[in-house]
Amino acid sequence: MKKFIPIMLLTAAFFNATAQDRKAPAYPLITHDPYFSVWSFTDNLNASATKHWTGASQSLTGLLKVDGKVYRFMGGEEKSFATVLAAADEKEYSVKYTESAPAKGWEKPGFADAGWKTGAAPFGDGDAKTQWRTKDLWQRRVFNMEQTTIKGLNLKIMHDDDVEVYLNGEKIYDCQCFVGKFIYLPVDSKLLKKGQNILAIHVKNNTGGQFIDAGLAYEKPVPAAQQVLMAKQKNVDINATQTSYSFDCGALNLAVTFTSPLLMSDLNLLSRPVSYVSFKVKANDGQKHNAEVFFGASTDLAVNTNLQEVTAKHYQTGSLSVLKAGTKEQPLLKKRGDDLRIDWGYVYVAAPQKYDAQQFISPAENIVADFIAGKKSATKNTDGKRLVLSTVVPFNGVGTGVVSKNILIGYDDLYSIQYFGQNLRPWWNDKGDQTIDKQLIAANNEYAAVLQKCDDFNKKFYTENVKAGGEKYAKLADLAYRQSISAHKLVKSPQGEILFLSKENFSNGSINTVDITYPSAPLFLVYNPDLLKGMMNGIFYYSESGKWKKPFPAHDLGTYPLANGQTYGEDMPVEESGNMVILTAAIAKAEGNADYAKKHWASLTTWAEYLSKEGFDPATQLCTDDFAGHLARNANLSVKAIVALGGYAMLADQLGYKDVAVKYHQIAKDMGQKWMKMADAGDHYALTFDNQDTWSQKYNLVWDKVLKLGIFPKEVYKKEIDFYLKKQNAFGLPLDSRRTYTKSDWIMWTATLADNEADFNKFVDPIYKYALETPTRVPLGDWHETTDGKQVGFQARSVVAGYAIKLLDNKLNHR
């Protein structure tokens, strides 16, 4: 697995905090799917620019003007760069290069590189200009400078994988990592020379893709005219569907609420790609004031990189005034991968016409100065780069009573997923008879009703989670809710089946990964099992159509957003067979019938037979914790196979296949007894059958408890829980004895094995501590170090829906 650099919740009924208190590692603002997902990476909404979950800038700007003063309440002043030496995303250039280790001094000026090849940048695999497929690459780029006193000089670079960079022989950057987008790193401008200069790079590929492109730029200073007052943030609250902020802006108090109405009971509403941004303004001095709120959405929401040209326009539809923007190129479903943003379809900002709001399009660098100066005319239709869709909403005569107004922000991706060669529309427009305008109008007309539904659900969700696991557990559930749902895309298959397809965010970008579905399942089992079916239907289809011919399920359906067949390089036979059988059993338990299992009985039988032969003592292979490497005789993976066979027996019994049920239940029971002997390591059970000096979380045991399969005695759970409590670190229980890192979703599953509230809370408390104290400020990660709370990898993934395992157990077994 590659090491990457991460680029660095709401009603009054919920917990309050001062602006200095953290509520989340990052705050969800607009969350709908893996592409339409905007976050604040800081506790104060106005402390930094808002970003896509990948860390790429997707700036939302919020300003309030009152009494001649302008206050910034949202977004930070974004850094802006001007080119010194262009990278290939701006302008073609060539370099000298070699793929054989050069002589000493290769990075210095004057080195004899006449024998090196010449090639056009960028270098890499895929669509790179010059194909680079070997392990190492060395480059030398000569350029001339007339002016060398450059303030704010930066190296601009994107690399995959390890890299070292030299400017005129001096090392300016060295990282054993990959970076999937351009980053800017300060460089001492004194290293530049008048006349000829040399930028030298050595890049090394470790695994997977490879790429290198670099240049130089300088940071533009912020004009004095754009310097504004900072609104004082008083509060931030998070619940399942909303994030709310409150501010002091001089004589006015301002409340801002972001609502993404992801209600699983209403798939049409869930799939509608429209969020609300609500503003409430009131005076705090007893006087009347005229005010204006500026909301600016960068067209970066509709591009993969901010150098892509966009076209933007203003129009009216129904009762709405609308701004729209998208790339001129519109490369529909042309890219696949992990660290990518959408660059087809269009972003929309709409305001009710009754507000008399003014809407226009401006270059990003002008918006603050223009608002300060009261300049609002600007452009209604334009092309360009890094534009802003600007809306100014008047609040006239604001006194001590609250004045409320809202805008809508939406995204129409036109076609969302390619599924075995066929492009699929989003769920809300699967028949092609809807338009985004109709969705915006419906969202506006239903504003009050939708917010009431959200408020009702928020309270219900929090109360149910408190009852299941306590307040800290409930707060973690709120943090996980929107993230887990919006890591999927809802579409309908050509066969008319629901597809709820995950993206494996900052892992490898796979679509519909089975071992992502597995940990994500509990939340959807509680609130809408049809969504879990939507996470499994594609995998069943892949096998049952004959496209996948192996006696176990595929790992994935491709690389997001192209679901044309598995792209992961290695199978996980026991892992994925166990996952699919267990989750089918869980659906039957949640729905009270085995209808879904009956539909796929042939596939389930094939997989159960495979597990009965290969699952108990697994050969060397990967499991869902693939980052930990291959492992033979994995005791936790064995548990998965055993529990899956017990689940298959349960399904057979429900379907009336009594002989099959008896047979497989006995197989599972016999395996369970054998497992207890072979994995026994005294006061715990081992990581592998052949090494009693090891241990691991046996999180797969949780399904024996939740589904009441009766395979393992409760004493097995107790023995493991008692042992784990002795192994915890400050930020949680390590995954196993090999390393100190952990997976927070698995900790929650392990904790659910506890037979009392006190022990459960002992596992939850460190996860809560991690969420509030991790130094890695990104959307909630699930793979972190238990010693210092730092992210190891992964972020914004759906697997945090697995936190709901305790809620699921409570719903099914403790009503």
Side-chain angles (χ1 to χ4, degrees):
M1 174 163 292
K2 301 192 177 194
K3 180 180 179 183
F4 71 94
I5 296 182
I7 310 295
M8 341 237 210
L9 265 144
L10 99 171
T11 62
F14 293 92
F15 57 101
N16 292 322
T18 65
Q20 287 71 41
D21 288 336
R22 186 192 297 188
K23 301 290 179 66
Y27 297 80
L29 304 179
I30 297 164
T31 49
H32 289 274
D33 61 43
Y35 286 141
F36 192 29
S37 181
V38 184
W39 298 67
S40 172
F41 283 39
T42 49
D43 297 313
N44 283 22
L45 184 59
N46 56 8
S48 66
T50 59
K51 302 176 182 181
H52 186 256
W53 66 260
T54 58
S57 176
Q58 293 194 338
S59 181
L60 302 177
T61 302
L63 306 168
L64 184 144
K65 182 188 289 186
V66 61
D67 299 335
K69 298 177 181 178
V70 175
Y71 297 83
R72 180 190 293 272
F73 63 83
M74 177 168 59
E77 193 68 58
E78 278 198 279
K79 290 183 177 181
S80 180
F81 294 90
T83 299
V84 174
L85 178 67
D89 64 331
E90 299 176 76
K91 183 180 179 182
E92 289 188 5
Y93 68 90
S94 295
V95 299
K96 289 281 193 175
Y97 74 96
T98 181
E99 295 168 275
S100 302
K104 186 178 180 180
W106 66 273
E107 76 280 10
K108 297 183 181 299
F111 178 80
D113 59 12
W116 290 25
K117 301 175 184 177
T118 299
F123 284 64
D125 57 2
D127 296 328
K129 195 83 170 179
T130 299
Q131 291 296 299
W132 162 49
R133 304 278 182 163
T134 57
K135 184 78 171 177
D136 291 271
L137 178 73
W138 289 262
Q139 292 183 344
R140 288 171 54 84
R141 181 181 183 186
V142 174
F143 62 98
N144 291 306
M145 295 289 297
E146 294 297 324
Q147 171 68 27
T148 61
T149 56
I150 299 174
K151 188 176 181 180
L153 183 67
N154 276 251
L155 170 69
K156 173 186 174 181
I157 189 167
M158 184 190 328
H159 60 91
D160 185 357
D161 294 306
D162 304 349
V163 71
E164 51 184 337
V165 183
Y166 300 84
L167 180 58
N168 291 325
E170 298 293 328
K171 185 179 287 188
I172 59 174
Y173 180 52
D174 186 353
C175 190
Q176 284 69 56
C177 61
F178 79 91
V179 176
K181 64 178 70 65
F182 281 107
I183 58 172
Y184 293 83
L185 304 159
V187 174
D188 187 351
S189 63
K190 293 179 181 177
L191 295 176
L192 289 173
K193 299 176 181 178
K194 193 169 184 179
Q196 190 176 91
N197 292 260
I198 179 80
L199 186 68
I201 300 173
H202 172 214
V203 61
K204 179 179 181 180
N205 181 52
N206 296 319
T207 183
Q210 47 202 111
F211 185 87
I212 184 65
D213 189 17
L216 297 172
Y218 70 88
E219 184 178 347
K220 295 179 181 178
V222 178
Q226 292 192 191
Q227 294 173 4
V228 298
L229 298 170
M230 297 295 284
K232 183 179 180 181
Q233 185 173 310
K234 303 291 288 182
N235 215 53
V236 56
D237 289 311
I238 296 179
N239 60 34
T241 65
Q242 297 170 302
T243 303
S244 286
Y245 298 86
S246 62
F247 304 90
D248 282 349
C249 302
L252 297 183
N253 295 336
L254 170 68
V256 183
T257 299
F258 297 86
T259 304
S260 295
L262 305 183
L263 301 179
M264 287 182 276
S265 60
D266 185 343
L267 296 186
N268 290 327
L269 180 59
L270 178 77
S271 68
R272 179 189 290 165
V274 180
S275 280
Y276 301 103
V277 186
S278 308
F279 307 100
K280 295 183 178 180
V281 181
K282 70 173 183 177
N284 56 38
D285 61 357
Q287 304 297 310
K288 294 274 190 177
H289 301 270
N290 292 331
E292 291 178 325
V293 167
F294 172 92
F295 177 86
S298 171
T299 56
D300 285 352
L301 271 75
V303 302
N304 182 42
T305 71
N306 59 26
L307 290 173
Q308 290 178 279
E309 191 167 5
V310 299
T311 183
K313 72 179 218 176
H314 174 259
Y315 66 96
Q316 294 182 339
T317 181
S319 61
L320 296 175
S321 174
V322 183
L323 292 166
K324 167 187 178 180
T327 59
K328 295 188 74 174
E329 182 186 5
Q330 289 294 303
L332 179 71
L333 293 167
K334 295 299 184 183
K335 296 182 178 70
R336 66 175 188 174
D338 194 355
D339 193 358
L340 294 174
R341 276 68 47 198
I342 193 168
D343 58 2
W344 71 91
Y346 299 89
V347 62
Y348 294 79
V349 177
Q353 292 183 35
K354 65 183 180 181
Y355 294 161
D356 291 324
Q358 292 183 292
Q359 290 194 298
F360 47 90
I361 302 150
S362 304
E365 58 266 26
N366 295 350
I367 58 171
V368 176
D370 286 354
F371 183 62
I372 291 172
K375 184 179 176 182
K376 305 167 191 169
S377 54
T379 312
K380 295 292 185 181
N381 303 284
T382 190
D383 298 340
K385 299 175 182 178
R386 302 200 69 196
L387 304 176
V388 175
L389 306 182
S390 300
T391 302
V392 177
V393 182
F395 286 78
N396 296 322
V398 177
T400 55
V402 174
V403 180
S404 300
K405 297 183 180 182
N406 68 277
I407 62 171
L408 304 93
I409 182 165
Y411 203 99
D412 182 4
D413 57 7
L414 307 176
Y415 287 88
S416 308
I417 298 292
Q418 188 173 97
Y419 184 73
F420 296 103
Q422 184 168 337
N423 292 348
L424 303 183
R425 300 178 190 271
W427 178 275
W428 60 268
N429 191 28
D430 70 287
K431 296 183 178 68
D433 59 355
Q434 281 292 313
T435 65
I436 190 65
D437 287 351
K438 290 179 181 179
Q439 292 294 306
L440 288 167
I441 291 168
N444 183 56
N445 292 341
E446 298 166 12
Y447 173 69
V450 169
L451 259 63
Q452 185 60 58
K453 288 179 182 178
C454 288
D455 188 55
D456 292 344
F457 178 77
N458 296 337
K459 292 173 181 176
K460 176 177 181 282
F461 186 68
Y462 187 80
T463 300
E464 289 177 344
N465 279 288
V466 169
K467 181 180 178 181
E471 288 193 4
K472 289 181 180 178
Y473 175 74
K475 291 173 183 177
L476 285 167
D478 278 348
L479 293 185
Y481 185 83
R482 274 171 284 165
Q483 173 174 315
S484 55
I485 296 173
S486 63
H488 299 82
K489 187 67 182 185
L490 185 63
V491 294
K492 185 175 288 186
S493 77
Q495 295 74 34
E497 292 189 315
I498 182 174
L499 296 174
F500 193 49
L501 303 176
S502 64
K503 179 177 182 181
E504 200 169 336
N505 292 344
F506 267 15
S507 179
N508 61 12
S510 289
I511 186 170
N512 203 197
T513 303
V514 178
D515 54 287
I516 293 295
T517 295
Y518 179 64
S520 304
L523 180 67
F524 306 103
L525 283 164
V526 174
Y527 291 106
N528 191 343
D530 283 346
L531 288 170
L532 178 54
K533 294 173 190 176
M535 298 155 75
M536 300 169 67
N537 285 337
I539 298 296
F540 276 121
Y541 171 77
Y542 196 12
S543 286
E544 292 164 0
S545 65
K547 299 177 190 296
W548 178 261
K549 302 180 185 301
K550 299 179 182 180
F552 47 80
H555 168 271
D556 60 77
L557 291 184
T559 302
Y560 198 92
L562 307 184
N564 294 323
Q566 179 172 311
T567 52
Y568 191 73
E570 189 170 346
D571 299 329
M572 297 185 186
V574 174
E575 173 70 38
E576 312 304 18
S577 296
N579 292 341
M580 291 295 287
V581 176
I582 289 170
L583 295 182
T584 305
I587 288 171
K589 178 79 171 180
E591 294 189 327
N593 66 74
D595 293 351
Y596 188 66
K598 186 175 183 178
K599 182 178 179 181
H600 301 290
W601 192 246
S603 295
L604 294 168
T605 299
T606 298
W607 300 336
E609 289 174 351
Y610 180 86
L611 290 172
S612 70
K613 297 171 184 175
E614 307 291 343
F616 175 72
D617 194 354
T620 300
Q621 60 190 275
L622 293 174
C623 69
T624 184
D625 303 318
D626 56 349
F627 51 84
H630 294 76
L631 192 65
R633 314 200 72 188
N634 183 337
N636 186 46
L637 187 58
S638 177
V639 168
K640 177 170 289 183
I642 296 167
V643 171
L645 291 171
Y648 179 76
M650 182 194 87
L651 291 168
D653 185 65
Q654 286 182 275
L655 291 171
Y657 307 144
K658 299 301 181 182
D659 54 338
V660 176
V662 170
K663 174 186 174 181
Y664 277 89
H665 183 72
Q666 192 59 51
I667 291 173
K669 287 287 287 185
D670 291 346
M671 284 184 174
Q673 291 299 312
K674 187 178 180 182
W675 184 93
M676 291 166 60
K677 294 176 182 177
M678 291 179 59
D680 191 14
D683 62 348
H684 69 284
Y685 296 96
L687 167 66
T688 60
F689 289 135
D690 56 356
N691 190 344
Q692 294 187 351
D693 293 328
T694 60
W695 63 271
S696 65
Q697 291 187 46
K698 307 301 186 302
Y699 52 80
N700 288 315
L701 277 170
V702 76
W703 292 107
D704 184 48
K705 180 179 181 180
V706 172
L707 300 180
K708 290 191 174 296
L709 298 176
I711 298 169
F712 294 92
K714 293 180 181 179
E715 288 76 18
V716 172
Y717 312 161
K718 176 69 173 170
K719 184 173 179 176
E720 287 290 271
I721 290 294
D722 289 346
F723 180 80
Y724 298 148
L725 289 172
K726 302 172 187 175
K727 295 295 181 179
Q728 291 213 102
N729 291 323
F731 292 93
L733 175 68
L735 182 64
D736 57 48
S737 53
R738 290 174 290 178
R739 298 282 294 271
T740 56
Y741 58 54
T742 195
K743 292 282 273 79
S744 59
D745 48 342
W746 297 149
I747 293 178
M748 203 68 81
W749 288 31
T750 295
T752 302
L753 294 171
D755 60 9
N756 63 84
E757 183 179 335
D759 283 351
F760 175 79
N761 287 333
K762 288 175 184 176
F763 292 105
V764 172
D765 288 354
I767 304 176
Y768 187 68
K769 177 182 174 71
Y770 159 70
L772 298 193
E773 297 181 20
T774 175
T776 313
R777 304 306 303 273
V778 297
L780 192 59
D782 53 283
W783 182 21
H784 71 269
E785 266 294 343
T786 61
T787 54
D788 57 16
K790 291 181 180 178
Q791 175 194 33
V792 178
F794 310 156
Q795 67 196 47
R797 301 206 308 167
S798 68
V799 302
V800 293
Y803 291 1
I805 191 71
K806 181 67 171 175
L807 179 65
L808 177 65
D809 183 48
N810 197 62
K811 176 185 177 181
L812 295 180
N813 301 317
H814 304 285
R815 286 190 251 195

